[in-house]
Amino acid sequence: MAEVPDGPPAHFRWRRMLHEVVRVEGPERIATEWWRDEADHALTRDYFRVESREALRVWIFREGLFAAGKNHALVRTWRIA
């Protein structure tokens, strides 16, 4: 299992409520050659299984990669799967 540089999310918003993450499993990286965007770039997602303080369990993913060095984060948007 590989760590992501900025780690899993500490909280998430679902149905207009902010939920604090208390348990995390992952990441699981999905990256394949056949999965491409409109500009023909290969897509990558890091998936986490998270549980909130209220026992809500969801899959959360982050699109894009994180490159080493200053200002090289391509995309760091978290979404609920």
Side-chain angles (χ1 to χ4, degrees), residues 1-10 24-30 44-48 60-68 75-76 78:
M1 179 180 329
E3 288 292 324
V4 292
D6 54 351
V24 177
E25 291 181 34
E28 291 185 33
R29 178 161 286 170
I30 306 292
T44 301
R45 287 184 179 172
D46 290 327
Y47 284 86
F48 290 87
I60 292 181
F61 68 90
R62 182 184 63 200
E63 293 184 297
L65 294 173
F66 187 95
V75 178
R76 294 168 50 183
W78 292 101

Side-chain angles (χ1 to χ4, degrees), residues 1-21:
M1 179 180 329
E3 288 292 324
V4 292
D6 54 351
H11 59 281
F12 63 94
R13 186 172 302 277
W14 188 60
R15 294 188 175 177
R16 291 187 243 164
M17 291 185 60
L18 188 64
H19 298 274
E20 180 184 354
V21 173

Side-chain angles (χ1 to χ4, degrees), residues 3-4 9 26 29 33 36 39 41 49 52-53 57 63 68 81:
E3 288 292 324
V4 292
R29 178 161 286 170
E33 273 302 309
R36 299 188 156 304
H41 296 106
R49 291 173 302 283
S52 72
R53 183 167 302 285
R57 295 179 182 161
E63 293 184 297

